[in-house]
Amino acid sequence: MQDQMQSEETTVSRRQLLTTAGVVGAGALVVGGVAGGVIGSQVGSDDGSSSSTTAGDQKPAASAKGTLVIGSPYPMSGPYAADGEQMTNGTQLAIDEINAAGGVAGRKLRHVVVDTDVGSPESVASSLNNLVNQKVDAIVGGYLQVDGPAYDIIPAYGAPYLHGNTIQAGVERVAQDPERYGMFFNVDPTEVWYGKGFPTFLDELAAGSSWKPASKTMSVIQGDLDYSMVISKATQDAAKKAGWKITGVEKVVTPVNEWGPVLGKLRSQKPAIVYNAHPAPADQAAFMKQFVANPTPALVYLQYGPSIPQFLELAGSAANGAIWATLVGNVGGRLGEAFTSSYEKQFNKPAGLANAPQGYDTIYMLANAWAMVGDPRDFKSVCGHLRTQRYRGVCGSFWMDQPGQYTSSFPAAIDDPSLGMPSLYLQVQDGEHKVIYPEPYAQAEFQMPPWMK
């Protein structure tokens, strides 16, 4: 769906874009570490620490007078625990910074994390009910692979729900019934834009680098998650419209340790592009190690997984040359570099490119809405402000004032980088992630992968 709210074209240098704060409401400045005015002053007595709960712990979290409580259903154990750690750390960093500045109008923030199996409807429902029973002031999620229970539980409560589920079907549901689901905010673009934007990226790559595809052929690897299947289909549809031929679609089931049968088929298909839409970082690391041992002369694209630090730790030098993308990620510049430095200082480990900065930005957006409205329990007014505010954070620009209440993808859905979140395409170069597209966010030029030199 093309964004209908596009401003006049402007010319913005990369330095100007990456160092300028966003605008909220009628012009109050919003910065990724400080929000003036009512954020700060009159410090409360709560320590602002985070806590973890289980489904059986339903003690009211908001009982401490003056404390604003944020609840999060994060995957703290199981196969997505690495993601959950990033989510928790990113949100906690923002909470700690806001509390250090005095909180929101003198009220400190506290974070309650409920360990959630994001692929289980029962676990998701239990976690959300837990947070509602604790009477949290808002719910901030990373992603849920199964989001159905949210549409029954959250509307009855009414608190703002900011998430990165990245699910097109969810956005469409909100658009169809904005009165019932007006508290749902998908802070990033939806997963279909991974596919819709891919052919444009390939065109730009071929036009401006040493890579020229020997043929317009692409083989797709599809995982067993709905997320992966939707991205696979969107990519295939967009590629076909752009003149690419799909030479094969290989389906895998999580986890995948042995990639031999899939790699054998890829070698027989001889594609110019291998598009791996299976997002698990450990599985993708195994894929790269086995691929480079007997490679196919094709570019390799990996979906999402490299954003988790675990991927580089496991893949090592085999990751060099791989391309990947994220719809939400640290765009660098002064805000991005400051976030990375603060994260490493506080947690003594690197921040991932997606989950940690997304959680960080989401907390600041919520805090600004609370500050502007004045009464965090006025859920309707807080949601109204979240809907209309424009925020410039570590991950670029957030603006959800459109049907479905989500952020548009730049440049595929909207051509104004001040109103859309950049879909970042990165390449692993010498063990580091480098943004190679789009401008003005690119940090490096594309390099031919080692297996194609």
Side-chain angles (χ1 to χ4, degrees):
M1 176 170 61
Q2 291 291 328
D3 192 295
Q4 297 176 351
M5 304 287 292
Q6 296 185 355
S7 68
E8 297 179 358
E9 293 185 359
T10 58
T11 301
V12 185
S13 73
R14 181 174 189 270
R15 179 175 296 274
Q16 290 171 324
L17 184 65
L18 298 185
T19 59
T20 303
V23 181
V24 91
L29 288 178
V30 179
V31 186
V34 178
V38 288
I39 292 185
S41 76
Q42 301 178 354
V43 179
S45 60
D46 190 83
D47 64 4
S49 62
S50 65
S51 62
S52 297
T53 72
T54 63
D57 182 0
Q58 297 179 351
K59 180 180 178 180
S63 60
K65 186 177 180 180
T67 304
L68 296 173
V69 182
I70 300 165
S72 295
Y74 288 161
M76 301 307 297
S77 60
Y80 299 100
D83 296 53
E85 179 184 50
Q86 290 283 312
M87 296 169 189
T88 301
N89 290 350
T91 50
Q92 190 61 45
L93 178 59
I95 288 170
D96 290 346
E97 290 179 353
I98 293 169
N99 285 340
V104 177
R107 301 177 67 179
K108 286 199 171 182
L109 278 56
R110 185 157 69 88
H111 195 203
V112 176
V113 177
V114 181
D115 189 7
T116 305
D117 180 348
V118 294
S120 163
E122 294 78 15
S123 180
V124 169
S126 178
S127 294
L128 293 176
N129 278 320
N130 184 333
L131 296 173
V132 168
N133 289 336
Q134 294 191 65
K135 297 181 173 59
V136 299
D137 296 291
I139 298 174
V140 169
Y143 60 75
L144 299 175
Q145 294 169 352
V146 178
D147 66 340
Y151 295 94
D152 295 323
I153 297 169
I154 292 177
Y157 184 51
Y161 173 43
L162 299 93
H163 64 84
N165 291 341
T166 321
I167 299 176
Q168 179 67 25
V171 163
E172 292 173 355
R173 191 166 182 172
V174 174
Q176 290 166 5
D177 195 347
E179 186 67 27
R180 176 172 172 77
Y181 303 122
M183 70 292 297
F184 282 68
F185 296 93
N186 195 119
V187 300
D188 58 350
T190 61
E191 81 276 53
V192 298
W193 291 101
Y194 279 117
K196 290 184 177 182
F198 192 61
T200 301
F201 162 71
L202 293 180
D203 288 344
E204 292 290 329
L205 190 63
S209 73
S210 57
W211 175 76
K212 306 295 179 184
S215 62
K216 296 190 73 171
T217 54
M218 183 186 307
S219 291
V220 177
I221 300 171
Q222 177 178 299
D224 55 344
L225 300 174
D226 286 344
Y227 168 88
S228 179
M229 290 185 278
V230 170
I231 291 172
S232 171
K233 183 179 185 305
T235 302
Q236 293 177 57
D237 290 345
K240 290 175 183 176
K241 289 180 181 179
W244 289 80
K245 178 182 178 182
I246 306 301
T247 54
V249 179
E250 307 305 323
K251 300 179 181 180
V252 298
V253 177
T254 309
V256 189
N257 297 315
E258 177 52 59
W259 287 92
V262 172
L263 293 172
K265 291 181 180 180
L266 294 179
R267 294 185 192 104
S268 66
Q269 293 163 2
K270 299 180 180 179
I273 303 287
V274 173
Y275 190 100
N276 190 339
H278 175 57
D283 294 359
Q284 289 187 345
F287 173 83
M288 288 306 302
K289 292 176 81 169
Q290 294 171 42
F291 174 86
V292 299
N294 185 12
T296 299
L299 294 187
V300 173
Y301 170 90
L302 304 174
Q303 176 59 42
Y304 170 77
S307 70
I308 307 302
Q310 178 191 34
F311 170 79
L312 284 182
E313 295 170 3
L314 295 175
S317 61
N320 288 324
I323 294 170
W324 65 280
T326 180
L327 294 173
V328 54
N330 189 334
V331 299
R334 286 175 58 186
L335 294 183
E337 291 167 4
F339 165 79
T340 298
S341 177
S342 296
Y343 186 101
E344 293 182 354
K345 181 178 180 180
Q346 178 154 334
F347 301 108
N348 197 30
K349 60 181 63 177
L353 272 293
N355 287 310
Q358 175 183 295
Y360 180 88
D361 282 342
T362 302
I363 294 297
Y364 269 103
M365 286 191 292
L366 175 62
N368 275 287
W370 280 342
M372 294 296 289
V373 170
D375 179 6
R377 299 302 290 190
D378 183 355
F379 293 157
K380 185 173 183 179
S381 294
V382 173
C383 290
H385 190 79
L386 286 168
R387 185 177 304 112
T388 56
Q389 75 166 291
R390 298 183 298 278
Y391 174 83
R392 170 60 163 91
V394 175
C395 297
S397 297
F398 297 75
W399 188 37
M400 298 176 283
D401 192 13
Q402 61 177 320
Q405 300 184 170
Y406 69 106
T407 298
S408 293
S409 175
F410 169 82
I414 188 170
D415 59 8
D416 186 340
S418 71
L419 298 178
M421 181 176 291
S423 294
L424 301 177
Y425 284 83
L426 303 94
Q427 185 180 37
V428 181
Q429 299 179 358
D430 298 322
E432 296 183 355
H433 300 296
K434 298 292 185 180
V435 177
I436 59 174
Y437 176 84
E439 294 293 348
Y441 303 99
Q443 304 166 328
E445 296 289 333
F446 164 82
Q447 295 181 1
M448 287 293 287
W451 62 84
M452 293 181 69
K453 292 181 178 178

